[in-house]
Amino acid sequence: MKKENETKVDEAAKEAQEVKQETQDTKKEAQEVETQATEEVNEWEKKYTDLNDSHLRLMADFDNYRKRNQTLGEEMKQLGISMVVEKLLGVLDNCDLARKYISDESALQGFNMMETQILMALDTFGLKEVEAEGMAFDAKVMNALEREKAEGKEEQVVAVISKGYTLNGKLIRPAGVRVGY
């Protein structure tokens, strides 16, 4: 019986050793699976982060594109307006010249009304005349075309030879003036 008990103990010890080995193998497999799962999770997190960054960059690029096109559209609109206004400045100059040769009072009155309408229409686009008559000479908005001896009016505009204009605060044509010395 002792032998029988020893055999049972040996079998139980072997079985325990096999269970212990299986447990160690299972733990090892579990660690490998956990490591592999962790690596896959890290890989998917990196892919998500990369895609999210790419998405955010694309959104920012599109927003910049939209803003750039909006700004460009405004600039093109202003350029078109300024081109038309600059062409009409010649018409205004001719109105000033023609006024000197109109002798009929009613024709002159109608002519002045027409010129006023043109100026009011151009004013809606931001055209303003440069104030020069009697002002101190300002090289930023005036060109000195002539000098004239004028007591007490040194470095002041004595006469405007050609009108100057700004469009939305930007000088498009300086005033041609006669300056006193």
Side-chain angles (χ1 to χ4, degrees):
M1 196 156 179
K2 199 175 178 184
K3 252 193 178 216
E4 220 176 274
N5 282 341
E6 282 180 17
T7 308
K8 284 184 181 179
V9 169
D10 284 343
E11 284 178 17
K14 265 188 189 178
E15 212 173 291
Q17 187 63 28
E18 286 175 9
V19 168
K20 184 178 179 183
Q21 185 62 40
E22 283 178 20
T23 303
Q24 287 176 349
D25 289 346
T26 303
K27 279 184 179 179
K28 200 184 260 188
E29 285 177 20
Q31 285 176 342
E32 288 173 5
V33 167
E34 184 181 352
T35 302
Q36 187 178 2
T38 302
E39 288 173 359
E40 285 184 27
V41 166
N42 290 340
E43 186 178 320
W44 282 108
E45 284 178 346
K46 184 178 180 335
K47 284 181 182 180
Y48 170 78
T49 302
D50 290 347
L51 285 173
N52 193 40
D53 289 348
S54 177
H55 170 72
L56 292 175
R57 269 190 237 100
L58 282 173
M59 284 178 50
D61 286 347
F62 180 74
D63 193 42
N64 290 338
Y65 166 79
R66 183 184 52 76
K67 288 176 184 175
R68 190 171 42 250
N69 277 348
Q70 186 177 13
T71 302
L72 186 61
E74 282 297 316
E75 288 173 0
M76 291 296 111
K77 179 182 171 185
Q78 289 302 318
L79 178 63
I81 289 171
S82 70
M83 290 172 68
V84 170
V85 167
E86 285 179 27
K87 295 288 184 190
L88 290 174
L89 292 181
V91 173
L92 291 175
D93 290 341
N94 289 335
C95 286
D96 282 339
L97 291 174
R99 182 180 295 108
K100 295 175 186 174
Y101 300 102
I102 297 175
S103 58
D104 183 15
E105 191 61 37
S106 63
L108 183 60
Q109 186 179 9
F111 188 81
N112 287 338
M113 287 171 55
M114 182 182 65
E115 182 184 27
T116 301
Q117 274 188 313
I118 292 171
L119 286 170
M120 285 175 32
L122 291 174
D123 184 58
T124 62
F125 292 109
L127 183 73
K128 302 283 183 223
E129 186 177 329
V130 173
E131 295 294 326
E133 187 77 41
M135 306 292 279
F137 176 74
D138 182 359
K140 293 176 188 170
V141 293
M142 300 174 197
N143 282 338
L145 301 178
E146 298 176 3
R147 291 183 53 100
E148 178 181 298
K149 185 136 181 99
E151 291 293 323
K153 293 190 176 184
E154 291 81 9
E155 298 303 317
Q156 286 188 346
V157 175
V158 178
V160 175
I161 298 168
S162 64
K163 293 179 181 178
Y165 295 95
T166 61
L167 184 63
N168 296 319
K170 181 181 174 189
L171 183 69
I172 58 172
R173 187 171 82 179
V177 297
R178 183 178 303 135
V179 181
Y181 70 93

